[in-house]
Every structure is written in structure tokens, then in C-alpha cells.
Amino acid sequence: MGEWSLENLIRGGFTGSIYPVNPKYRELRGKKCHASLKDLPEVPDLVIFALSDARMEQALDEAIARRVPAVLLMSALVMDNDSRPTLRERVRKKIHGAGILACGANGMGFYNVRDRVWACGFDSRLHVPPGNVSYISHSGAGMCGIVDCDERIRFNFAVSTGFEIGVTMDQYLDFVLGLPETRVVGLFVETARNPEGFRAALEKAQARRIPIVALKVGRTEKSAQLTVSHSGAMAGDDAAYDSLFDRYGVQRVRDMDELATALILFSECHPVGPGGLATLHDSGGERQLLVDLAADAGVSLTDLSDESVDSLEKILDPELPAVNPLDAWSRGGEEAADRMAAALAIMMQDPGVAIAAVVHDRGPEGHVYPGYVEYLRRGRSVSGKPAVLVAARQGSGCDGRIVKWTHEGFPVLDGVAPFLCGVRALLSYRDHLAAPPMRPPKVPENAVIRWRAQLRAPGALDESRSLSMLRDFGIPANSSELADNEQALIAAAEAFHYPLVLKSAVPGLMHKTEHEAVALDLADENELRSAYRRLAARLGPRVLVAPMISGGIEMILGSRRDPQFGPVILLGFGGVHAEVFQDVTFILPPFDAAEARRKLDRLAMRALLDGQRGEAPADVAAFCDTAARFSSMVHALREEVQEIDVNPLVVTRNRCIAVDAL
């Protein structure tokens, strides 16, 4: 690692002074070697430690004594038979005490390509400044696995942050957002060690219109064991990141292939305008495959205009349908290449096309035929829109011609599925930037003051008080009365019309259905008395009586306070649907009704709200307005409330009303 650290600084073209430090040598790579840091003729700006863990502490003490401002730690800071506090804890304390900037530990260094500082102790490819992609990775292999092996991506900065014993991901992100060359930022995220700083950096990226592509690992829910509500169990750690990324337009990918593809598209493509995707093929089967994969990826394929169809029919063989995706090859022949180029140009001029791709197989030995790129040039010259060449199979990111074409603005990509993921990211980011500013509803201050005081007491509110709190914040909630004996129950029931619902109100009973603590659709006083006697005998005399809400679609609103990013709102289909199908989405509060509608429209069972088999459609607008009010309430009470569950929330054709809450 020491040899490569020195080699990389020289290969990267660093123009300042480089001082090798090693008592075993007098000279390394033509440079005078010093026995220790205190022997250096000047204080270095950065010390790269390529040392074993056993030697780290003493070497760091020397750096602190010389008032070195910054260090790079690649070792893991783990020692066998270590004492307490451990080496890592001791090093952390020394670094923070001295006010030193530290990269690592347990990382693979950084590449400041724009300033020619390759501070990395491993083999690497050539990087030519200035570059236009910044990349920040918690994983060392997650950095090298993309930085070292794909020349299509031009980096201006890349770092493996490791344990972040000093500088954290949000600080690196804030830095690269200020670099004038940065067109896109990639993140390999394990966790946010400074959540507020991370959120502020994402907000800065949004304001500067610099897209961020994130690969977030560790999606397993770890918080369910600590929750008591359905929404708390579903809104696990990953849901917070999903809603955080959605709020700031961060495009999430699933693996390194998707990450690389998205970075190439964002950094090398022309801007994407309105519309969807058009693709050109020389295979009917691969054309059909793309249709299937686009549906899986959620990428919209443009329906061509009548004018485009007419123009295509004039040049295509008669057996070929003039549709998108388009197979324009058929019989081939001497004029096939010109016909393919003309067909792509026609599609790219269609007003409904935002981006186009030629999807072809590679030739022998993985090569790409140059004629394919000519299709792209012709299409872009007549439309000004981005055009991409996609290989149906994986190939090489180090083919010189492919790198050249990509950097000319004609990306050559590997694999249809990663390409479609990248297109989805482009279109999603475009739509995010075009969305109007959110205007969440204001909350009544008197309600905030009243409930903030009550919620500071530990424990859960019962259903009656929970529904009362919702009403105080303008959220429609079912009326109810409490009673602790049969006479009081009958008196309370006089305030309502039958049918009624009766529920046990025994303190500590969280989920009533699971304990058979609910009696529904009680038609008269006799049924009410009978139900009460059964519940009282089994669970105790305290009950809640309320009007029976019939019909409609059961929805759920909930929230859970994430330990890093605060409250996360859960919105979706409720009742048994919440437990069985978990067709829900997550949003950071506060938000407005338009944002609730946007997220609601993504749910798998969304069509249920439109009315099925002759039933009237549900009042979606009322539900979205309620969700927005709920989000403002949760945001206002974010320090007092750990979890809220409003389930079910019944949406009928003309109203939305909360039936139960915890």
C-alpha cells in the first residue's frame, strides 16, 4: 500500500512536494526518503498512513506534534489483544482533540482528480482531469469497483470514507456540490452518521439542480421489534431513506451496474425534455423483451403520433409495424443501415419522445459496429434530443472507441435492464425538478400547545383521546363516547343513531381486533346491551361506543419516528390490507395534498379508489387533504410522538373519516 500510494501520487500528476517517510530507505522513486515525520523540511498538508495498525498510534502522535492539518487512514484500526479504550477509540479521540481532518479509517483513500491528488494505496486506471462525476462510498470495494474499471465515467472526485472517524459523507457531499465540474454525484450509502448534515447536503444538491444517484445497502427492517403500531412495524429503517430520497429527488438504484449506467446517462446525455422513451431494434424478439422489461422498470414507452407513423410506413418493409419500440431491420439489404438511421430520426422528432436508444447486440469479440453510432448522430442532429446505444448483453467499459463515443455525448451502455433503470432515473429527476413547491397545511397553534403538553406524559393515548387529537387538528374522526357501566353506555348511545359499534376501552389494549374486543353493526339497544355484557365479562367494564361507518375503502395513515431522520409518514390501504398486502408508501412530513396524491397514485391497489363494478369512486381528494393535515400535525408534534396509527381511515364517495387511532 505504501508503494502504490507513492506511485499514484506520481501517476496522478501531483505538482507539489512529496516526501516518502520510511527509516529503511534513503530514496524511493527518485525522491529522498526521511526516517520520520519530524525530519521533514516542512509541515505537509496531508499525511497518508500506509502502516500496520500496530504502528498507527505512534505515527499519528508524530503528525499531531508537527501540527499536520489532514491525514488519510487506510488501516482498520483493529489490534489483537487490544486494551480499553481500543485503538480505534484512542485514534478518534486524538484526531478530534487535535482538530485534524481525517479520511477513513478502514477506507481505500480518495481521488481528487481535478487537483491531481490520487491518495489511494491500490492499483488504478488512468484518470484525466477535470471529470464531471463525483462519487462518495462507504465501501472501499464499492469505490474501486466502479472507479477503476469503467473509463466511460469521468470522475472529478471519488472517496472511500470508511469508518468516517473524521470527515463524514455529508461533508464530502457538500464539498463536491461546490465543484464547478460536478454534473452528477453517486453515493454508496450504508448509514448517515450525521443525519442533519446529510439532509442539508441533499437540500443543497436539489437547490443547485445536481442529480444524486444512490445505492443504499442494508434494507432489512431492524426496528419492528421496538414498535407497537402497524405503521411502526412497516416503516422500518429503509422506509426513512426511501422517503428522504424521494423528497430531494435522489434516484435510488439496486446494484453497481445500475449505478454506473445512471451516472453515465446523467453525466454524458443532453438534457431530457418532456415525453417518454423510444427504442430502435433489429430483432422482433428483443423488441418484445424491451416492452416487458420497460413495464417492470416503470419506464413509459411513447405512443408515436400519426405523423410519425405515416413517415415510418413510407420507409419500412410492409411487414413491419410502425410502432415504438420499432424493429426496422426485417429483410436487411444494402439500404438497411440508412433505413435504420432514418427510422430513428423520425421517432426522435416525435413530440412525445424525450430520449431514444438503439438496442443492438455486440459484434464478434464484444465489439460495437461504428455504424450504430451514426444512427445516434443523425437522430440527435435533427431533434437535439439525447440518444443512447445499448448492448443487449454486457460488454467492456474499457473499449477505446466506446469510451470516445460516450464522451462525445453518445453513451454506449451494457444491458437493457440497467439502461431502463437509468432512463427511469433521468425522467424521474426531470419530473422532480418540474414539480411546484409544496405548501403543507398550517396547524392550529392552540392544538399544538394543548397536545404537546399531554403527549409529554409516557405511554399511549387511548382511542378516544387519539381521535380527539385528530379532530383538534382538523382531521375528520368518528364521534365516540366512553362508558364504564351498562347504564352509562345506554345513556351515551342516545347521542348517536343505530347501527353502532362497541369496543373495549381497557387501558393497555392496543390492537382490539386481535383480542376480539370489537362488536360491529349493533342494530338496536338489545344488541348493544348483549354485546356489552359479553365484552365486560371477558375484558372489563370500560367501553367505547360510536356510530358504525359502513361501506367505503379502508385506508391507513401512520407515522414512526426514525432515529436518524425523524418522523416518516406511512400512507396506503388499511384494515386487513395493511397487514397482508402492505400496499403502502412513505413520505417525509410535512407535505401537501398534491404530494399525497402523487404517492397514492403509485400504489398497486390504487384502482380500488376509482370504483369497481358499478360502485361510486371514493373521495380521493378528501383523503389526500386529510393526509396532508395529518403530516402537518405529525411534524408539529415530532418531538413528542414516537408512533401514530390511524387504521382504518374510511374513504367513501363523499368523505374521509378516521374510525380508529392509536
Side-chain angles (χ1 to χ4, degrees):
M1 291 177 68
E3 184 176 5
W4 270 112
S5 296
L6 181 57
E7 172 74 16
N8 282 333
L9 286 170
I10 296 171
R11 287 182 66 211
F14 180 65
T15 58
S17 300
I18 301 174
Y19 299 111
V21 178
N22 190 319
K24 295 182 181 179
Y25 300 92
R26 292 186 176 181
E27 184 179 285
L28 285 171
R29 290 297 305 269
K31 297 183 181 296
K32 180 182 177 181
C33 197
H34 299 265
S36 68
L37 289 174
K38 58 188 173 185
D39 295 331
L40 299 183
E42 60 181 327
V43 177
D45 295 306
L46 171 69
V47 173
I48 301 173
F49 288 112
L51 300 172
S52 66
D53 290 313
R55 299 179 59 200
M56 270 300 310
E57 195 166 10
Q58 180 182 348
L60 179 61
D61 287 340
E62 291 183 14
I64 292 173
R66 289 226 63 178
R67 300 186 182 277
V68 169
V71 297
L72 168 61
L73 312 172
M74 288 182 277
S75 60
L77 300 182
V78 176
M79 295 176 60
D80 295 334
N81 303 315
D82 198 3
S83 59
R84 295 284 181 181
T86 64
L87 174 61
R88 188 183 305 177
E89 292 165 341
R90 298 194 301 270
V91 167
R92 183 190 300 275
K93 184 177 180 180
K94 289 175 185 288
I95 284 172
H96 286 274
I100 293 177
L101 289 174
C103 179
N106 197 41
M108 297 177 81
F110 65 85
Y111 295 86
N112 185 348
V113 176
R114 70 186 307 274
D115 295 319
R116 301 182 181 275
V117 185
W118 296 13
C120 181
F122 301 86
D123 189 9
S124 183
R125 68 173 176 87
L126 183 64
H127 300 278
V128 179
N132 54 18
V133 176
S134 294
Y135 183 51
I136 306 162
S137 173
H138 281 138
S139 166
M143 180 188 76
C144 293
I146 190 172
V147 169
D148 294 336
C149 58
D150 200 322
E151 295 178 24
R152 290 170 295 184
I153 306 176
R154 297 184 280 181
F155 291 97
N156 65 347
F157 183 87
V159 60
S160 161
T161 68
F163 291 145
E164 299 183 339
I165 206 166
V167 183
T168 51
M169 175 173 279
D170 57 287
Q171 294 173 304
Y172 290 112
L173 179 54
D174 183 78
F175 168 71
V176 300
L177 290 172
L179 301 180
E181 306 88 359
T182 301
R183 290 189 63 180
V184 60
V185 181
L187 302 178
F188 188 114
V189 185
E190 293 174 356
T191 187
R193 292 185 174 89
N194 179 14
E196 287 303 314
F198 189 58
R199 187 165 179 169
L202 297 184
E203 188 171 353
K204 180 176 179 178
Q206 178 179 249
R208 297 197 174 191
R209 304 175 79 86
I210 297 175
I212 294 178
V213 182
L215 175 57
K216 170 67 178 69
V217 297
R219 291 180 290 176
T220 304
E221 291 184 7
K222 296 177 290 185
S223 59
Q225 59 185 337
L226 304 176
T227 65
V228 295
S229 70
H230 295 303
S231 50
M234 285 187 281
D237 296 340
D238 201 58
Y241 280 94
D242 258 349
S243 27
L244 179 76
F245 291 163
D246 189 70
R247 172 60 59 90
Y248 295 107
V250 177
Q251 303 304 308
R252 187 167 184 175
V253 295
R254 298 172 297 179
D255 58 31
M256 298 296 285
D257 284 335
E258 292 183 353
L259 176 63
T261 298
L263 292 177
I264 292 170
L265 286 172
F266 274 113
S267 62
E268 301 297 343
C269 270
H270 280 46
V272 178
L277 170 67
T279 59
L280 177 70
H281 304 257
D282 59 3
S283 163
E286 289 184 355
R287 176 174 69 94
Q288 292 172 279
L289 176 61
L290 184 130
V291 173
D292 294 339
L293 293 175
D296 293 341
V299 172
S300 173
L301 296 170
T302 299
D303 291 327
L304 298 175
S305 67
D306 292 340
E307 291 79 6
S308 298
V309 171
D310 290 342
S311 298
L312 287 171
E313 288 178 341
K314 292 175 183 177
I315 66 171
L316 294 174
D317 291 329
E319 67 273 16
L320 293 175
V323 296
N324 175 42
L326 177 66
D327 173 11
W329 184 258
S330 188
R331 306 172 197 177
E334 294 181 359
E335 299 178 353
D338 186 66
R339 183 170 62 248
M340 296 284 281
L344 182 69
I346 291 170
M347 288 199 295
M348 290 186 67
Q349 293 176 85
D350 190 290
V353 172
I355 182 172
V358 174
V359 184
H360 284 353
D361 294 312
R362 290 177 177 270
E365 300 178 348
H367 294 309
V368 172
Y369 294 110
Y372 296 166
V373 181
E374 294 308 312
Y375 304 168
L376 307 181
R377 294 188 193 279
R378 183 166 169 181
R380 193 173 79 183
S381 69
V382 298
S383 69
K385 298 174 183 177
V388 181
L389 177 59
V390 182
R393 290 289 309 279
Q394 293 289 334
S396 170
C398 295
D399 182 311
R401 294 182 304 172
I402 287 174
V403 173
K404 176 177 178 290
W405 293 328
T406 298
H407 294 172
E408 288 178 356
F410 301 103
V412 180
L413 305 174
D414 304 314
V416 175
F419 160 69
L420 289 169
C421 173
V423 170
R424 183 185 65 220
L426 285 178
L427 301 181
S428 173
Y429 186 70
R430 173 202 66 190
D431 296 343
H432 174 78
L433 293 180
M438 278 195 289
R439 293 180 172 83
K442 294 183 178 180
V443 294
E445 279 302 317
N446 58 338
V448 174
I449 295 170
R450 175 188 171 192
W451 287 101
R452 184 172 284 163
Q454 294 193 46
L455 289 164
R456 282 175 180 156
L461 299 186
D462 60 23
E463 179 180 346
S464 177
R465 294 175 70 206
S466 297
L467 292 173
S468 177
M469 185 179 82
L470 296 182
R471 284 191 290 270
D472 282 356
F473 282 90
I475 298 169
N478 199 17
S479 301
S480 62
E481 293 288 345
L482 290 170
D484 55 10
N485 60 65
E486 189 171 332
Q487 183 178 357
L489 170 65
I490 301 305
E494 292 179 356
F496 309 122
H497 296 288
Y498 287 92
L500 301 178
V501 59
L502 187 68
K503 306 178 185 181
S504 174
V506 175
L509 189 65
M510 298 295 183
H511 302 297
K512 301 178 182 65
T513 304
E514 297 170 6
H515 296 276
E516 298 181 351
V518 180
L520 302 173
D521 211 16
L522 304 175
D524 53 36
E525 183 178 316
N526 289 334
E527 290 190 10
L528 179 63
R529 289 181 181 274
S530 297
Y532 174 77
R533 290 165 185 167
R534 291 193 299 271
L535 283 180
R538 193 161 51 86
L539 298 171
R542 196 167 189 267
V543 295
L544 178 146
V545 62
M548 180 73 191
I549 306 296
S550 301
I553 304 294
E554 292 187 346
M555 305 296 288
I556 183 174
L557 286 173
S559 78
R560 169 185 173 268
R561 190 167 64 203
D562 181 79
Q564 290 187 307
F565 300 109
V568 178
I569 301 293
L570 173 145
L571 176 156
F573 286 85
V576 295
H577 296 125
E579 301 172 42
V580 178
F581 299 111
Q582 294 196 4
D583 190 17
V584 296
T585 187
F586 306 96
I587 323 176
L588 290 185
F591 52 83
D592 57 16
E595 178 69 2
R597 179 65 178 260
R598 184 179 72 87
K599 298 286 280 188
L600 178 68
D601 287 344
R602 295 180 180 181
L603 297 180
M605 296 191 295
R606 168 64 178 82
L608 288 178
L609 295 167
D610 294 331
Q612 302 298 314
R613 297 188 177 183
E615 291 190 3
D619 192 343
V620 172
F623 174 72
C624 293
D625 179 71
T626 297
R629 292 175 183 273
F630 178 80
S631 79
S632 293
M633 178 189 74
V634 169
H635 181 69
L637 301 174
R638 59 191 178 277
E639 298 299 329
E640 287 75 33
V641 177
Q642 178 68 27
E643 298 173 49
I644 301 181
D645 212 18
V646 184
N647 182 28
L649 190 85
V650 177
V651 186
T652 66
R653 64 182 179 83
N654 58 6
R655 68 169 178 168
C656 169
I657 185 167
V659 175
D660 197 354
L662 173 62

